[in-house]
């Protein structure tokens, strides 16, 4: 049992580590985890629970869509041709295995999950460091060191059409790295509320501004929208409604009076015009494939046929899901987001400790922030950001069921401890009053 637990913990750690390092590692980590899930679960599968039912639904839509319109992708370099449907089928199959892993194998309490995310937050310093170093990669002193070789690896595996001074981080794309930095910034706010000690809280706030600075070097605009939405949701989940409204008003005022704070020199209107062209073409593709969609890779093929340009996705999460998986996929995705928000709120209300309440708020703020960013860039289709997005969703559903449905032993122990702590306060108050009366009586 100890050996099995050691393997389980290492696989989970590798899953989070893969998000930090490279876009090539998350598929490998998910593949290993899927094989381990089959070994540990051994037929005890879930088909009707959330979010498993949504992942299975997307797999079914993928199969039907490809059978209805068989499409293929040809790799010219390797002379390999494969069915396009196999990519989303494998992706949602891996997400289903991930959900089963957290439900049937991992058995994390909220305190275990808190430790994992705090360590992941510290690991985010590596992503920020790569972003900063990429601003200095032309410096001759770096090129002759192992740091120069590391930067060459990320430069070689760049997935970005434009050549600019924007840092691409560890994802190969500026917008995708910015999405990761959003999550690290939100984790900084979470850490500042759960860590004890002034120096730890100060460090957490300092890291928030560090991640925001790194995000500015990516030059992503949609990321700032996602960060603001995530911060508002995180504050809202603490129960501070007035602070939420005030925070929203402050952000609106800053952008209104200081529009130059928006990164990059090119005009925002020009960028929106380019996005609008992508969105209008995506809408046309959706209208032609409204029921079952085109599937992800075939979307890029159709876009090139229409416009002559190479665009791989719709740069909008709603249009992307609708055009790639049709109305059925959009309904499935909307139901998943609705149930995730609902369960996150229920989990927060049922929790009896501040740390657990903040954990629920942080996870749902990450989910909503990436969706906010997705209204402009659609980053959740990438291996690293997509895995982090689904991890937040899966962990919310798992912790909701353990707190609100199953109520395991650690839940009951916490509740008893809270009741004892609450009951001790009036006892101390009464004893203090009796002591004061006794002193006054002796003085008289």
């Amino acid at each position: 049992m100890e050996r099995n637990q050691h393997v389980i913990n290492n696989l989970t750690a590798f899953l989070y580590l893969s998000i930090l390092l490279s876009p090539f590692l998350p598929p490998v980590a998910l593949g290993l985890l899927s094989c381990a899930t089959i070994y540990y679960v051994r037929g005890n599968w879930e088909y009707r629970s959330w979010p498993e039912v949504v992942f299975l639904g997307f797999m079914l839509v993928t199969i039907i869509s490809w059978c209805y319109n068989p499409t293929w992708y040809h790799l010219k370099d390797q002379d390999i041709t494969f069915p396009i449907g196999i990519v989303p089928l494998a992706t949602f199959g891996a997400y289903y295995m991930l959900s089963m892993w957290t439900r049937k194998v991992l058995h994390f309490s909220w305190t275990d999950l808190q430790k994992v995310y705090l360590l992941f937050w510290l690991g985010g310093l590596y992503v920020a460091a790569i972003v900063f170093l990429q601003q200095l990669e032309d410096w001759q002193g770096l090129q002759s060191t192992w740091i120069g070789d590391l930067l060459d690896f990320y430069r070689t595996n760049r997935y970005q059409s434009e050549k600019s001074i924007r840092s691409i981080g560890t994802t190969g794309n500026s917008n995708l790295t910015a999405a990761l930095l959003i999550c690290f910034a939100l984790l900084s706010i979470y850490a500042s509320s759960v860590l004890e000690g002034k120096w730890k809280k100060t460090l957490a706030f300092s890291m928030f501004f560090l991640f925001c600075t790194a995000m500015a070097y990516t030059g992503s605009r949609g990321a700032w929208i996602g960060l603001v939405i995530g911060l508002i949701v995180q504050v809202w989940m603490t129960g501070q409604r007035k602070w939420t409204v005030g925070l929203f008003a402050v952000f609106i005022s800053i952008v209104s009076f200081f529009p130059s704070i928006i990164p990059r020199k090119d005009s925002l209107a020009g960028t929106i015009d380019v996005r609008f062209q992508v969105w209008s073409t995506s809408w046309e593709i959706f209208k032609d494939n409204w029921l079952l969609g085109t599937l992800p890779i075939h979307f890029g093929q159709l876009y090139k046929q229409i416009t002559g340009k190479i665009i791989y996705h719709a740069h909008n999460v709603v249009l992307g899901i609708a055009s790639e998986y049709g109305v059925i996929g959009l309904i499935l995705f909307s139901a998943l987001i609705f149930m995730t928000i609902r369960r996150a709120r229920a989990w927060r209300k049922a929790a009896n400790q501040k740390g657990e309440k903040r954990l629920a708020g942080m996870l749902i703020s990450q989910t909503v922030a990436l969706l906010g960013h997705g209204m402009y860039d659609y980053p959740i289709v990438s291996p690293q950001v997509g895995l982090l997005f689904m991890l937040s969703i899966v962990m919310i559903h798992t912790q909701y069921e353990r707190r609100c449905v199953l109520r395991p032993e650690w839940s009951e122990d916490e509740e008893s401890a809270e009741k004892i702590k609450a009951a001790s306060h009036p006892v101390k108050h009464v004893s203090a009053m009796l002591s004061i009366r006794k002193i006054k009586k002796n003085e008289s």
Side-chain angles (χ1 to χ4, degrees), residues 333-344:
F333 187 75
S334 300
L336 175 64
I337 299 304
F338 173 78
M339 288 299 299
T340 301
I341 294 174
R342 181 180 178 182
R343 287 190 164 189

Side-chain angles (χ1 to χ4, degrees), residues 111 316 414:
T111 53
N316 179 277
E414 287 179 357

